Amino acid sequence: MYRARTVLTNLVPLASLIPRAAPDRFASWILKSDHILCSITGTDIRHYSSSVATEPFLNGSSSAYVEEMYNAWLADPKSVHVSWDSFFRNSSAGAAPGQAYQAPPSLAEPGRNQLPITSLAPLLGAAGAPALGGQVNEKVIDDHLAVQAIIRSYQIRGHHIAKLDPLGISSADLDDKHPPELLYSHYSFGKRPSTTYSQHLQQKVASMMEQEGDMDRVFKLPSTTFIGGKEKALSLREILSRLENAYCRHIGVEFMFINSLEQCNWIRQKLETPGVMEISSEEKRLILARLTRATGFEAFLARKWSSEKRFGLEGCEILIPAMKAVIDKSTELGVESIVMGMPHRGRLNVLANVCRKPLEQIFTQFAALEAADDGSGDVKYHLGTYIERLNRVTNKNIRLAVVANPSHLEAVDPIVQGKTRAEQFYRGDGEGKKVMSLLLHGDAAFCGQGIVYETFHLSDLPDYTTHGTIHIVVNNQIGFTTDPRHSRSSPYCTDVARVVNAPIFHVNSDDPEAVMHVCKIAAEWRATFHKDVVIDIVSYRRNGHNEIDEPMFTQPLMYRKIKTTPHVLDKYSKRLIEEGVVTTEEVKDVRDKYEKICEESYLNARKETHIKYKDWLDSPWSGFFEGKDPLKVSPTGVKEDTLVHIGKRMSSPPPNAAEFVIHKGIERILRSRMEMVESRTVDWALGEGMAFGSLLKEGIHVRLSGQDVERGTFSHRHHVLHHQLVDKATYRPLCHLYPDQGPYTVCNSSLSEFGVLGFELGYSMTNPNALVCWEAQFGDFNNTAQCIIDQFISSGQAKWVRQSGLVMLNPHGLEGMGPEHSSARLERFLQMSSDDPDYFPPESEEFAVRQLHDINWIVANCSTPANYFHILRRQIALPFRKPLILMTPKSLLRHPEAKSSFDEMTENTQFLRVIPDQGPASQNPSSVKKLLFCTGKVYYDLKKAREERKLEGDIAISRVEQISPFPYDLIKKECAKYSNASLAWAQEEAKNQGSWTYVQPRFHTALSGSRDVRPPIQREGFFNKLFGGKSDDNATSQLDSPNTKPRIISYVGRPTAASPATGSKMQHLKELNALLDDALSL
């Protein structure tokens, strides 16, 4: 309505057009009018001088006044103002009521809702000529409104009738009906009255279409269209033709939902401008060459390995030229690095023809060769790569990374975004002009996987945005065997992108030039507005889900059509030959040349004897491993001065900002921190802050991300102080420790685990010299990110030789808060740990670091702030990177005994894998009757109960701080120290949960000294050479003598349970007391 009112404002002066109706209510008037002839008042711009100021007409005057004026005019027309004279003359001449008044000439510019009458003259035609003198049929106004409605309808709905399906058998929007706004014959004109403004306009459109003469009438074009080019007016016939070309051929665009007029006009201009899709012969030949390579690659693989799964691109070979067009335009606009994520379909083709990975390396993946380096590897269509090469079109260097990913479609999306954001951060690319992300999707996964939505919602968050991602959907119009009508409820598979105002370009894959056009627009959009954009390439899948799958079982009609459909390369070659752009010989020559390249690479690949996993690394860390002792850990203790400085900064309000108003509760926390610093002690929050701060001092970037991490779920951290009177005024103490410190990023995330954990994993892959931490709001929330944990974090290095030092902080502990806020599912992480429970590694000085090197990740449950401090710093001190899974406390955050002295954090101190008992029991170990092992918070419950029962001399309690890799050497040492004590493992989790099932067999191995079960012999590979990962052939069995009865460890804790914890506080306390009674019984 607003736009229609604006249109009318530009055409007629409303004040005189609508008697008794304010301009803002003209719509209600126009709908009621049927065939009224209206006077159009134009401002005749002549230079008159008026001796008397114009008077307002009928401004509250009584009828007596009017009658008095009329009598005076009858006596002498010159005795009244000229406006009255004009009014009475028109009335006497028979003017209709409301039509007699005529405004006097004015020197002023036309006012609001006015325009010179001469500006309408060209549009009124012969029939409208009398309007210059006074009246014109309202049809002129209505017809212009109708034309604008037509233009807007095409812009909004034209994509519904665009010819998008290359097979021509279905509609991309799952609706075969044409929108009524675009189907003139659909209207029932004159048969029913219009009830809405839209219906009124539809009827006007149809009435114009019924008359051939109307088709040749010329209409002034509104400012909301660019179909005219330099012309300001076009005939209706030409308007419709140009709209059809722009919106209804092989490109369908959804963009009118975007709430920015500037952005909408930008897209209109790119699509509507006449001749905008014309390209040179040289560009056409480039498209043909790229299409030939894409098609030739798939054909070559099909010939050589006909029964191998490779998830080829047949049916959407245009993807390769499309991606290259995006890369060409982006590099031209300044991009230097592109991070890509994609599913398995077409991956090998992308690696070969977009990244230009050596074909030999791809072909060797089809041979059953042994790997030259360690790791378990992955199938060829999951592997990533990293390439730096010259872009021959723009003559600029470009870095391309394809991130490795599993079969879990779309799971790689947030990882790509995190890696991209990290690259932008370390390059100082605050606007995303140098680094960008490119994500490929399948149609069924794009609308079916929730992670797509989570990733889109990171796109505009300040600490997560990558300043625009280009999404390309390879739309096969089928998901595995499922018809789109059964796999989505939305018209298009791309509708999820509408939530972030991303324009969506649907394009027919069999029109290569249309595909290139939208790819260039997408790249320019991203460079201009730094927002997401979607290209939906509507195509088909020539084979089944994979090459050995039979699609006719489930889609017989579609695949019958596919069998008779020529390849897009054949269609485009024929078209270019007909246009005279290329000859038949040139087409054949291009094909033969690429075929020869493939054959030569195939012959070279057959000479290879091994495959190399490192060839497929997607995130190389240049210079990180070189020159390091692979088993030397840097010290984690720091000077006391550093601790004091960081502690005081964390305990102080902003310096030189007396007006910064801090919450009274925060003031109390800062005071208590300062008291701790002065007494040389730290609690959990202060210990963490000192770990971060000391790393920042060394120039290490620290990033802490997750839900509510700035304050901390349990209101303990407070790394961002908020001014209580000024919005958005904040102070971050850790950002102001040292003038040359590393950057500190602490950011509250969206309410997402899957997306944000994936993002932080991607971030951690980029730079090994950064501590990247993700904190769960509560530990059990990590299970909504289980896919990232299973497929990437625990197995990423084994599959893709890709290391990550990501830290996962999972609040964990049974404290009577119910099943959902108790367990971080420690047992799951331990079950995925890769160390052998039956193998006791050779003891040496390097025992601990070698264990860390050989395992897939580290799982720990610290019980002191000092140990938490050391284990965080150890992540950077290690000469390699491993994910760290930490169970973090809740009640211990404020527990009076869960504090550490500076003496445990200064130089020459380190992380303690096991904290032995330091009480009376340790003074006289031979008299100790029971040795309890535990981990985490339950230690404080056991210690308190032991004191209450005065059993300090009879029962020793040792804490296992690092659970995996298991500290065999220290456990063995502790057990030997208390040689007469019975052994028990105490835990607060249920028997089938927590650490018990992990530690039980390892205690047996530690106690028996068993080394007879050997781990599999590892190959002398890349990482083994680098880190000395060979097993010790001199290791001998350390079985106890046959006369020694092996010691066993018993279980103390809750019985098995399906739920992590009880929902009853009373039951919780009852279970805890039973645990303590059992643990402390002798």
Side-chain angles (χ1 to χ4, degrees):
M1 239 13 265
Y2 167 77
R3 291 176 188 258
R5 186 179 299 120
T6 307
V7 169
L8 198 62
T9 298
N10 292 333
L11 287 175
V12 294
L14 294 174
S16 58
L17 179 65
I18 308 169
R20 303 178 307 282
D24 290 341
R25 295 196 302 273
F26 89 96
S28 56
W29 166 80
I30 198 170
L31 288 175
K32 291 175 186 172
S33 65
D34 290 320
H35 300 289
I36 302 172
L37 287 174
C38 303
S39 162
I40 295 181
T41 304
T43 307
D44 197 1
I45 301 184
R46 297 183 193 171
H47 299 282
Y48 292 147
S49 61
S50 178
S51 58
V52 185
T54 55
E55 299 172 358
F57 177 60
L58 287 181
N59 188 13
S61 300
S62 65
S63 57
Y65 174 71
V66 176
E67 189 174 356
E68 182 182 333
M69 284 288 158
Y70 182 61
N71 290 331
W73 177 78
L74 287 174
D76 181 8
K78 293 181 180 178
S79 65
V80 297
H81 188 267
V82 290
S83 61
W84 283 109
D85 180 35
S86 171
F87 175 74
F88 292 135
R89 285 180 188 280
N90 289 339
S91 298
S92 301
Q99 305 294 324
Y101 173 69
Q102 183 177 353
S106 171
L107 289 170
E109 291 292 317
R112 185 171 178 271
N113 299 331
Q114 289 188 326
L115 75 165
I117 193 70
T118 51
S119 68
L120 279 178
L123 305 175
L124 299 176
L132 294 174
Q135 294 185 342
V136 64
N137 194 306
E138 79 164 332
K139 185 176 187 323
V140 173
I141 301 161
D142 281 354
D143 288 354
H144 274 82
L145 284 174
V147 168
Q148 294 204 36
I150 293 172
I151 294 170
R152 184 168 169 78
S153 294
Y154 271 95
Q155 291 168 342
I156 296 174
R157 309 268 281 161
H159 56 88
H160 286 294
I161 58 171
K163 302 171 187 68
L164 298 176
D165 181 14
L167 301 175
I169 56 176
S170 64
S171 297
D173 62 353
L174 306 184
D175 186 358
D176 292 329
K177 297 193 294 290
H178 283 209
E181 300 96 305
L182 304 174
L183 238 176
Y184 314 112
S185 60
H186 178 75
Y187 305 139
S188 305
F189 303 109
K191 296 180 183 176
R192 61 171 184 262
S194 59
T195 56
T196 66
Y197 179 68
S198 174
Q199 289 175 351
H200 180 73
L201 286 177
Q202 286 174 11
Q203 292 188 11
K204 293 291 180 187
V205 171
S207 65
M208 291 162 66
M209 297 296 296
E210 287 172 356
Q211 300 176 18
E212 185 65 22
D214 278 338
M215 293 294 285
D216 295 317
R217 281 178 56 197
V218 175
F219 290 88
K220 184 175 187 293
L221 297 172
S223 60
T224 53
T225 186
F226 295 86
I227 56 174
K230 294 180 180 178
E231 299 173 83
K232 301 297 182 188
L234 291 173
S235 69
L236 180 56
R237 189 186 307 280
E238 187 63 23
I239 288 171
L240 294 174
S241 171
R242 294 190 185 189
L243 289 171
E244 288 276 344
N245 274 333
Y247 293 108
C248 303
R249 287 183 67 249
H250 292 149
I251 299 173
V253 194
E254 294 179 87
F255 69 100
M256 290 291 282
F257 53 81
I258 297 173
N259 51 18
S260 162
L261 181 60
E262 178 197 4
Q263 292 171 10
C264 286
N265 278 340
W266 188 92
I267 293 173
R268 290 181 182 120
Q269 190 166 13
K270 295 291 181 185
L271 291 167
E272 296 177 356
T273 304
V276 75
M277 277 187 63
E278 293 173 6
I279 61 174
S280 68
S281 296
E282 196 58 45
E283 289 174 291
K284 291 180 180 181
R285 280 194 287 270
L286 180 62
I287 296 170
L288 180 66
R290 288 173 168 178
L291 196 51
T292 301
R293 284 178 167 245
T295 308
F297 179 80
E298 298 296 352
F300 186 82
L301 294 186
R303 269 201 318 280
K304 297 295 184 184
W305 296 281
S306 56
S307 60
E308 280 265 3
K309 282 186 188 178
R310 56 186 165 80
F311 295 95
L313 202 51
E314 289 97 335
C316 192
E317 294 92 343
I318 197 63
L319 172 69
I320 301 303
M323 291 178 71
K324 291 176 83 78
V326 167
I327 293 167
D328 290 347
K329 180 54 73 171
S330 298
T331 51
E332 181 188 316
L333 296 169
V335 171
E336 296 171 359
S337 177
I338 299 178
V339 183
M340 295 182 276
M342 65 178 297
H344 38 278
R345 183 163 313 286
R347 191 181 195 88
L348 298 179
N349 208 326
V350 169
L351 292 173
N353 287 312
V354 176
C355 300
R356 294 217 290 272
K357 189 168 186 64
L359 293 176
E360 290 87 347
Q361 292 179 11
I362 296 173
F363 294 160
T364 52
Q365 286 289 326
F366 286 90
L369 299 178
E370 194 176 351
D373 38 19
D374 52 357
S376 57
D378 201 351
V379 291
K380 51 194 163 290
Y381 40 83
H382 288 171
L383 300 173
T385 197
Y386 173 90
I387 298 278
E388 188 162 350
R389 66 170 177 81
L390 182 71
N391 184 315
R392 293 172 188 150
V393 173
T394 58
N395 209 32
K396 292 181 178 180
N397 276 332
I398 181 77
R399 290 182 184 177
L400 300 174
V402 178
V403 178
N405 66 278
S407 286
H408 296 63
L409 298 175
E410 307 296 344
V412 78
D413 295 357
I415 291 168
V416 168
Q417 301 297 62
K419 182 172 164 57
T420 305
R421 172 70 185 212
E423 274 201 41
Q424 290 173 349
F425 179 84
Y426 296 122
R427 280 171 170 250
D429 183 18
E431 296 180 9
K433 291 180 177 179
K434 302 290 185 188
V435 185
M436 65 170 272
S437 53
L438 176 61
L439 286 175
L440 274 62
H441 313 268
D443 51 319
F446 196 58
C447 60
Q449 294 289 310
I451 186 58
V452 175
Y453 184 83
E454 290 187 36
T455 306
F456 265 117
H457 271 289
L458 297 176
S459 66
D460 214 21
L461 303 184
D463 291 299
Y464 300 87
T465 180
T466 57
H467 308 284
T469 298
I470 298 176
H471 302 263
I472 302 179
V473 180
V474 177
N475 188 343
N476 296 314
Q477 306 184 79
I478 186 173
F480 203 150
T481 65
T482 305
D483 187 286
R485 289 166 291 192
H486 298 148
S487 67
R488 68 174 184 260
S489 298
S490 59
Y492 293 104
C493 64
T494 53
D495 285 339
V496 64
R498 295 169 70 107
V499 300
V500 292
N501 272 338
I504 301 162
F505 298 90
H506 308 281
V507 61
N508 187 320
S509 65
D510 274 9
D511 185 345
E513 291 174 20
V515 177
M516 297 309 110
H517 183 58
V518 298
C519 288
K520 288 173 185 172
I521 294 175
E524 289 172 359
W525 165 274
R526 194 256 169 204
T528 305
F529 299 108
H530 298 287
K531 294 174 71 71
D532 285 30
V533 56
V534 178
I535 302 166
D536 176 23
I537 304 178
V538 183
S539 57
Y540 56 91
R541 196 183 63 197
R542 197 164 278 277
N543 300 312
H545 176 64
N546 58 60
E547 286 68 28
I548 54 178
D549 193 43
E550 178 48 77
M552 292 287 281
F553 290 160
T554 51
Q555 273 76 31
L557 298 180
M558 175 187 254
Y559 276 85
R560 198 170 294 134
K561 177 72 174 177
I562 288 172
K563 283 179 180 177
T564 61
T565 302
H567 285 81
V568 63
L569 176 61
D570 297 334
K571 290 183 181 178
Y572 193 59
S573 301
K574 183 181 176 184
R575 176 174 154 189
L576 294 192
I577 291 168
E578 288 171 355
E579 290 179 8
V581 175
V582 293
T583 64
T584 310
E585 290 72 26
E586 286 174 321
V587 171
K588 185 176 183 300
D589 185 48
V590 172
R591 289 189 188 191
D592 292 345
K593 273 184 181 174
Y594 189 67
E595 175 74 19
K596 186 181 176 186
I597 291 169
C598 291
E599 279 293 349
E600 287 173 357
S601 299
Y602 176 70
L603 293 174
N604 291 334
R606 293 186 67 178
K607 298 172 188 173
E608 292 288 336
T609 56
H610 290 82
I611 57 171
K612 298 185 182 74
Y613 294 142
K614 65 183 175 63
D615 289 339
W616 301 83
L617 190 59
D618 57 20
S619 306
W621 291 339
S622 178
F624 175 67
F625 298 109
E626 286 78 10
K628 284 187 180 175
D629 182 340
L631 296 175
K632 187 177 189 314
V633 186
S634 302
T636 54
V638 298
K639 292 179 180 176
E640 185 166 334
D641 290 348
T642 302
L643 299 176
V644 171
H645 175 78
I646 296 168
K648 286 186 174 179
R649 276 297 170 97
M650 286 188 67
S651 311
S652 305
N656 308 319
E659 70 280 1
F660 194 97
V661 182
I662 298 175
H663 192 278
K664 300 296 182 191
I666 302 288
E667 286 182 350
R668 283 196 302 274
I669 291 170
L670 295 181
R671 279 198 301 273
S672 68
R673 281 182 182 171
M674 188 64 82
E675 290 166 6
M676 279 192 287
V677 172
E678 289 167 355
S679 62
R680 301 182 68 253
T681 59
V682 297
D683 64 359
W684 204 268
L686 201 51
E688 177 189 72
M690 287 178 174
F692 290 170
S694 57
L695 289 171
L696 293 170
K697 183 186 180 186
E698 295 165 18
I700 300 297
H701 173 218
V702 178
R703 177 181 169 93
L704 174 62
S705 165
Q707 293 156 25
D708 313 295
V709 295
E710 294 178 5
R711 189 200 76 167
T713 301
F714 310 102
S715 194
H716 67 287
R717 183 173 286 126
H718 300 290
H719 283 193
V720 180
L721 307 183
H722 292 261
H723 196 306
Q724 296 297 297
L725 303 178
V726 181
D727 185 34
K728 297 177 183 174
T730 59
Y731 172 66
R732 303 176 184 230
L734 288 179
C735 293
H736 305 281
L737 298 175
Y738 300 96
D740 56 348
Q741 68 172 62
Y744 178 55
T745 308
V746 56
C747 45
N748 292 337
S749 74
S750 64
L751 204 69
S752 152
E753 289 83 26
F754 192 165
V756 176
L757 178 59
F759 186 96
E760 301 309 328
L761 175 62
Y763 206 108
S764 73
M765 286 157 41
T766 303
N767 179 8
N769 296 312
L771 183 71
V772 180
C773 308
W774 174 82
E775 183 175 67
Q777 192 178 60
F778 285 91
D780 54 314
F781 290 163
N782 69 44
N783 59 17
T784 63
Q786 199 69 47
C787 177
I788 298 293
I789 295 167
D790 292 357
Q791 309 308 131
F792 294 90
I793 301 177
S794 75
S795 57
Q797 182 176 344
K799 292 193 289 189
W800 308 313
V801 293
R802 181 172 76 196
Q803 296 193 17
S804 164
L806 179 70
V807 179
M808 284 181 66
L809 304 173
N810 305 280
H812 172 82
L814 278 67
E815 295 171 358
M817 299 303 292
E820 266 62 75
H821 289 95
S822 297
S823 174
R825 293 295 190 176
L826 171 61
E827 63 278 1
R828 291 183 182 164
F829 295 102
L830 293 173
Q831 188 243 338
M832 287 189 281
S833 293
S834 63
D835 59 335
D836 188 338
D838 302 317
Y839 176 66
F840 192 138
E843 292 179 67
S844 67
E845 288 183 9
E846 299 161 346
F847 183 91
V849 68
R850 190 178 287 277
Q851 269 196 312
L852 295 174
H853 167 259
D854 291 343
I855 203 163
N856 60 326
W857 60 14
I858 304 161
V859 183
N861 190 2
C862 300
S863 61
T864 70
N867 240 9
Y868 181 46
F869 167 87
H870 283 295
I871 201 168
L872 288 175
R873 286 184 50 80
R874 191 180 72 173
Q875 282 297 96
I876 298 298
L878 289 170
F880 45 83
R881 293 289 173 261
K882 297 285 174 175
L884 172 62
I885 314 300
L886 274 177
M887 302 295 117
T888 56
K890 293 175 285 187
S891 62
L892 292 195
L893 296 172
R894 294 178 178 80
H895 197 290
E897 291 192 45
K899 292 185 178 177
S900 296
S901 164
F902 280 6
D903 294 333
E904 300 169 63
M905 302 161 68
T906 51
E907 292 171 296
N908 301 318
T909 60
Q910 62 180 1
F911 174 72
L912 302 175
R913 292 176 292 144
V914 172
I915 302 179
D917 193 301
Q918 295 164 336
S922 65
Q923 309 301 319
N924 190 11
S926 58
S927 63
V928 171
K929 298 173 183 174
K930 194 170 193 177
L931 171 58
L932 285 175
F933 288 96
C934 65
T935 184
K937 175 188 76 75
V938 73
Y939 165 76
Y940 293 95
D941 296 326
L942 292 167
K943 181 171 179 280
K944 182 183 177 185
R946 183 179 65 171
E947 289 170 1
E948 290 172 352
R949 303 178 195 203
K950 296 185 170 44
L951 295 171
E952 292 98 322
D954 298 317
I955 297 177
I957 306 174
S958 290
R959 287 169 271 176
V960 180
E961 300 280 290
Q962 177 182 291
I963 311 169
S964 177
F966 192 71
Y968 290 102
D969 54 335
L970 299 181
I971 295 294
K972 177 185 169 187
K973 184 178 174 183
E974 278 294 286
C975 293
K977 180 179 177 180
Y978 301 97
S979 55
N980 299 321
S982 62
L983 306 176
W985 174 266
Q987 67 177 37
E988 56 183 352
E989 302 90 353
K991 190 174 184 179
N992 58 323
Q993 298 165 25
S995 307
W996 172 241
T997 53
Y998 176 85
V999 301
Q1000 184 189 20
R1002 288 166 176 81
F1003 265 103
H1004 174 74
T1005 300
L1007 293 169
S1008 66
S1010 172
R1011 203 174 288 140
D1012 53 341
V1013 180
R1014 303 300 306 277
I1017 296 171
Q1018 298 192 352
R1019 290 179 291 275
E1020 179 71 4
F1022 171 68
F1023 273 95
N1024 277 322
K1025 286 176 183 172
L1026 201 57
F1027 296 129
K1030 287 190 290 184
S1031 56
D1032 187 352
D1033 292 329
N1034 297 319
T1036 56
S1037 176
Q1038 295 184 354
L1039 289 170
D1040 291 342
S1041 64
N1043 300 326
T1044 307
K1045 184 180 179 183
R1047 298 170 77 184
I1048 60 170
I1049 186 162
S1050 58
Y1051 169 79
V1052 173
R1054 290 174 168 85
T1056 58
S1059 175
T1062 176
S1064 161
K1065 186 77 172 179
M1066 183 68 69
Q1067 179 65 19
H1068 167 76
L1069 295 173
K1070 188 176 173 184
E1071 290 172 359
L1072 178 61
N1073 289 329
L1075 184 158
L1076 297 174
D1077 289 343
D1078 194 9
L1080 301 175
S1081 64
L1082 294 172

